[in-house]
Amino acid sequence: MFNHKMQKYGLAASFILASAGGTALPAAAQTSVDAATLSAPIQVDGDPGDWAGVPSHSIGLTGRGGVESVEMKFAIHGDTIYVLAVWADTTETRLHKPYRWDEQTLSYRRSGELEDRFAISFPMSGEFSHNKLSGAEFTADVWHWKASRSDPAGIAHDKMWRVSRSEFPGAKKFTTEDGQTVYLARPSDAGDRLYRAVKHDTKHEDVMSRYEVNLSPRGSIADVRAKGVWRDGRWYLEMARKLDTGHEDDTAIPASGRILFAVAVLNDVDNERHSVSETWLLQTGDYGN
């Protein structure tokens, strides 16, 4: 279904200014993909049939999340960008830390099962990195699709990463691999709460969801339409968002230009470990042609 296509983008200087957020493009970002221009919109339903003829790009992943690569397509129609992500997963995991009934205690116990997830991040300011704990200081716009906590609402959880070497309110302290201290916050975008944890005092089913999802969220948190479908050992995820939402907590993606991005996949293995990409470059419109 997919043609594996990579384009090498040699940068002449160490840093080139990106078109979004004033973020510098590091020399390490040497692999680029092009967004196709469409004559009709994509239906965001998890069916890749609308994507015939759009070039596919194999994005390599590393880490302990059990996923080695994700096949991606990008396209623009009018004022909207569309993203298709396809990756191998032997199991469909639709619940996140669900409750399981314990006959000995006659109560529900929270399990460690984790929902399948996908995230794509774009720079907003600073020195963008695919790694939150690289030591770089930056702010990123993150579209975080969650099989249990966002997919029922037909969206990806729109949020931000804020990473600094200086402490700031709401941030948690982390140590990088080289021993630096960084502070990280992952706030949701403005708007309604997307989901909340619930409890069950009496038995209903052997397994019960831990989360109640807001099926009609409003605000910037709901900017990214998304639908994931698992079929025959693969996830098919479609996402769509306005190029420029006009919201302060979103980055504007150029209709004709370039912007960095990185992706991550979480499969339900090895205690919430991610498989992550390097930093890639997305080119849109007629930029560079």
Side-chain angles (χ1 to χ4, degrees):
M1 180 180 296
F2 288 89
N3 295 320
H4 299 287
K5 176 183 176 184
M6 290 188 178
Q7 294 180 323
K8 295 299 180 182
Y9 187 84
L11 300 180
S14 296
F15 293 93
I16 299 178
L17 189 65
S19 55
T23 304
L25 302 182
Q30 294 186 5
T31 311
S32 72
V33 302
D34 295 323
T37 300
L38 301 179
S39 59
I42 295 285
Q43 185 175 351
V44 181
D45 56 6
D47 183 346
D50 292 344
W51 293 83
V54 176
S56 175
H57 308 273
S58 182
I59 309 291
L61 305 176
T62 59
R64 299 181 180 180
V67 182
E68 296 182 353
S69 65
V70 56
E71 305 299 321
M72 298 194 68
K73 296 187 178 187
F74 297 85
I76 292 175
H77 175 262
D79 63 356
T80 300
I81 183 168
Y82 297 89
V83 179
L84 173 66
V86 181
W87 67 95
D89 188 344
T90 56
T91 58
E92 177 186 20
T93 310
R94 285 281 186 179
L95 294 177
H96 191 66
K97 301 179 181 178
Y99 297 116
R100 297 186 180 276
W101 183 254
D102 185 338
E103 284 291 345
Q104 291 186 336
T105 63
L106 297 179
S107 63
Y108 282 106
R109 300 275 184 159
R110 190 177 74 186
S111 71
E113 183 179 353
L114 303 174
E115 69 194 331
D116 293 326
R117 285 178 268 171
F118 175 91
I120 184 168
S121 56
F122 299 95
M124 297 181 73
S125 63
E127 187 182 348
F128 178 74
S129 174
H130 66 280
N131 180 2
K132 297 187 292 294
L133 303 183
S134 66
E137 294 183 293
F138 65 96
T139 300
D141 185 9
V142 182
W143 308 353
H144 194 175
W145 175 82
K146 304 173 181 180
S148 175
R149 294 173 293 168
S150 78
D151 192 72
I155 64 172
H157 188 170
D158 198 357
K159 59 198 308 183
M160 299 169 65
W161 289 343
R162 293 175 178 168
V163 187
S164 176
R165 290 190 289 271
S166 301
E167 189 173 3
F168 62 94
K172 293 184 179 180
K173 182 179 179 180
F174 292 89
T175 301
T176 65
E177 292 183 358
D178 60 0
Q180 297 184 66
T181 296
V182 295
Y183 297 88
L184 168 65
R186 294 175 286 188
S188 298
D189 282 9
D192 295 338
R193 187 172 181 177
L194 182 54
Y195 53 83
R196 67 183 184 93
V198 295
K199 293 184 177 181
H200 307 281
D201 295 325
T202 58
K203 184 177 180 180
H204 301 278
E205 304 289 342
D206 288 337
V207 180
M208 295 291 293
S209 175
R210 182 171 181 249
Y211 293 95
E212 181 180 80
V213 179
N214 181 352
L215 298 181
S216 301
R218 296 168 298 178
S220 185
I221 194 172
D223 284 329
V224 184
R225 292 181 287 132
K227 183 60 182 177
V229 172
W230 185 89
R231 184 175 65 254
D232 298 329
R234 296 173 75 84
W235 274 108
Y236 297 85
L237 171 64
E238 290 180 303
M239 296 186 288
R241 200 207 73 176
K242 297 287 187 184
L243 291 167
D244 187 352
T245 66
H247 297 147
E248 293 183 355
D249 48 17
D250 293 322
T251 198
I253 297 174
S256 181
R258 56 190 175 187
I259 188 170
L260 296 173
F261 74 94
V263 300
V265 175
L266 176 65
N267 192 11
D268 183 24
V269 295
D270 200 18
N271 192 26
E272 205 170 356
R273 298 292 179 89
H274 292 74
S275 298
V276 300
S277 75
E278 295 294 328
T279 302
W280 282 61
L281 185 66
L282 174 64
Q283 297 190 153
T284 61
D286 296 326
Y287 191 89
N289 294 333

